[in-house]
Amino acid sequence: MDGVGGKPAWAWIFILEGLITVVAGAMSPWIIVDFPENASFLTEAERTVVIRRLQCDNQFSAVGERLKFKHIKKSFTEWKTYVGMLVFGAITMPAYALALFLPSIINEATPANLLTIPVYVAACIFVCIVGVLGDRYSQRGLFNLICLPVGATGFIILLASRDAKLSYFAVFLAASSWVANNIEGSSKRSVTLAMTIASGNVQGIVSSNIYRANQTPWYPIGHGIALMYVILAIIGTVILRYILKRENARRDRGERDEIIQGQEGGHITNGCFGSVEEAKREKGDEWSGYRYTL
């Protein structure tokens, strides 16, 4: 399509990919359903199974939720949102960086592009494995703390190496580098996830400015900043996991119990509710029975 409409071929790649995104976004209100109870393609039996699975995963809003401004406001005042943004952004920037410096490790264009494929395939497999294990054991932060040092090792090697083969091996380590699980209430979760993903997308701007052409192919500044980001992700993960674990322990001790009408116990400072279901609905992940994924 080079020259079509007076535009170069590379411009058409962006136009066509962007057009698909715009069309898909415009159609999403009719394609994506808000809750299982609104999904016309599910049978009653399937709908019941989906709702029960979501509720077993501590997603109490699975059966529907009215949009309330207080839930949206909570996303902007919730400390977990900003720590999650820090961790996600710190992990995303080095991932963006791979696309910038990886081809330059190999001099010839065609082999360079072909040799980028194994790195992304390995990273994809690794992500799938970690995702499955993280879900199975409900230990997202722990897997972060296992994977991030591996990624940091890769960037340390990239900083020290002046050998293309060693640097290529290090990229596999660097490529191996849990917000939604800890936010309850669909409105709150949606806003928090949007903020978190946005913090990651912004890192593409950072990565494109720290890998400079005059430092090819070793990029000491770029790799150094990427390593700093990985270290920030480790620190953020440790902080987030520690605070969530401490909060879970407080709930286990009953310090966050609400007063429920007709039931004994609870603390007035945690709120008064007519039923447990009301407490779940109104408090979301702050409900005393909710446990954060570590």
Side-chain angles (χ1 to χ4, degrees):
M1 297 185 68
D2 190 30
V4 176
K7 300 183 183 299
W10 65 264
W12 278 108
I13 294 176
F14 287 95
I15 293 171
L16 293 176
E17 289 184 349
L19 184 61
I20 293 172
T21 303
V22 171
V23 172
M27 295 174 62
S28 61
W30 294 276
I31 298 175
I32 302 174
V33 294
D34 294 328
F35 300 100
E37 64 180 14
N38 305 126
S40 58
F41 54 86
L42 293 176
T43 65
E44 284 303 317
E46 291 171 338
R47 184 176 291 107
T48 300
V49 170
V50 171
I51 291 174
R52 284 179 178 174
R53 285 182 175 178
L54 289 172
Q55 289 175 334
C56 288
D57 199 30
N58 280 340
Q59 295 189 32
F60 313 122
S61 56
V63 293
E65 176 186 292
R66 294 180 62 185
L67 180 64
K68 294 182 179 179
F69 178 74
K70 70 175 185 178
H71 295 149
I72 297 175
K73 180 181 177 181
K74 193 67 178 177
S75 291
F76 289 96
T77 57
E78 180 75 63
W79 63 268
K80 294 194 301 294
T81 300
Y82 296 99
V83 179
M85 289 172 64
L86 169 67
V87 174
F88 187 76
I91 293 174
T92 306
M93 196 287 281
Y96 276 119
L98 291 175
L100 297 174
F101 71 81
L102 183 54
S104 68
I105 293 176
I106 310 298
N107 292 326
E108 297 180 27
T110 301
N113 288 325
L114 290 176
L115 287 172
T116 62
I117 296 174
V119 176
Y120 289 113
V121 171
C124 179
I125 294 172
F126 198 80
V127 166
C128 291
I129 292 173
V130 170
V132 170
L133 293 176
D135 267 343
R136 176 168 296 181
Y137 297 105
S138 296
Q139 290 286 341
R140 302 300 176 85
L142 180 61
F143 282 100
N144 260 14
L145 294 176
I146 293 173
C147 298
L148 287 170
V150 177
T153 302
F155 280 106
I156 290 172
I157 295 174
L158 285 167
L159 275 169
S161 170
R162 291 298 179 267
D163 179 83
K165 293 179 181 178
L166 180 59
S167 295
Y168 184 62
F169 163 75
V171 170
F172 281 87
L173 299 180
S176 65
S177 335
W178 73 89
V179 174
N181 291 88
N182 289 322
I183 303 296
E184 173 50 25
S186 58
S187 301
K188 182 180 177 183
R189 187 186 303 115
S190 299
V191 175
T192 300
L193 282 177
M195 294 173 66
T196 303
I197 293 171
S199 73
N201 290 341
V202 169
Q203 303 310 317
I205 301 174
V206 177
S207 63
S208 63
N209 283 281
I210 61 175
Y211 284 89
R212 300 175 180 176
N214 61 358
Q215 295 185 337
T216 185
W218 310 119
Y219 302 110
I221 292 178
H223 293 331
I225 295 176
L227 176 61
M228 179 193 72
Y229 266 71
V230 176
I231 293 172
L232 282 175
I234 294 173
I235 294 172
T237 298
V238 170
I239 293 172
L240 184 57
R241 194 171 188 274
Y242 169 76
I243 296 177
L244 293 179
K245 186 175 182 179
R246 185 178 63 177
E247 179 60 26
N248 281 349
R250 286 177 174 173
R251 297 181 184 189
D252 290 338
R253 294 193 298 266
E255 296 177 17
R256 304 300 192 205
D257 287 355
E258 302 85 6
I259 294 178
I260 306 296
Q261 290 183 12
Q263 297 184 15
E264 296 182 358
H267 305 281
I268 188 66
T269 54
N270 297 325
C272 301
F273 302 92
S275 65
V276 173
E277 291 302 319
E278 182 186 354
K280 290 181 182 180
R281 185 173 59 253
E282 292 299 319
K283 298 192 70 175
D285 58 89
E286 294 182 343
W287 173 57
S288 60
Y290 188 93
R291 295 298 181 272
Y292 293 113
T293 300
L294 301 178

